[in-house]
Amino acid sequence: PESLTLARPVFFVGFMGAGKTSVARRLARSCRVASVDMDTYIERREGKRVKDIFAESGEAGFRAIETEVLRELGAKPDPLLVSCGGGVVVTPENHEVFRESGFVVYLHVTADEAASRISDVSTRPLFQNLEAARARAAERLPLYEAVADVTVDTAGKSVFAIAREVQRIL
Ligand code: S3P
């Protein structure tokens, strides 16, 4: 299909480095629908980089903003591809938003592969060392699985291949 006939937003979730932003953007272009990256949206709204929000308000401050934005985007009646931050699943009330609105695509990646894809960890306050990232990824796995309507394994696949796979599913 060339165009998606989605009446509601589709959310991309998964660990940092899974390819959520790239895949949503790629798919948005080929399907001619809008895409929104939640972290970019938050940075514009707050006038600050994510890392500075973490530094000034802590993870809790960031999570509160993230939940407000997720609610806002989840309420949109439009076809929209939303790439979420990797930690969106750690806030229990976000699971309600996912359940009530839209369709959730979980892009699976291991912490080790994610590390090889991430070129600049300075923008990711929660990906500072591999050991901690592995533990964090393991902790989050059941949370991603709980919200996912569909899971796509991204191991060894290009953004293009992943986007095509998701397009077939939607
Ligand atoms: C986070 C992931 C980041 C960003 C923030 C926290 C996380 O998004 O929201 O640094 O807790 O995993 P990406 O998954 O786009 O890197």
Side-chain angles (χ1 to χ4, degrees), residues 11 15 26 30 33 44 48 55 68 79 81 83 88 99-100 133 141 145 148 152:
F11 297 99
F15 205 57
R26 165 78 239 178
S30 60
V33 298
R44 292 216 183 99
K48 282 177 205 167
E68 278 179 32
L81 303 177
S83 48
V88 75
R99 232 188 344 262
E100 286 164 12
L141 191 76
E145 287 175 343
V152 174

Side-chain angles (χ1 to χ4, degrees), residues 16 20 39 50 54 62-63 85-87 124-126 140:
M16 294 168 271
K20 302 172 296 267
D39 286 340
V50 165
F54 267 79
F62 176 78
R63 296 295 171 215
R124 284 169 162 102
L126 297 185
R140 287 183 181 171

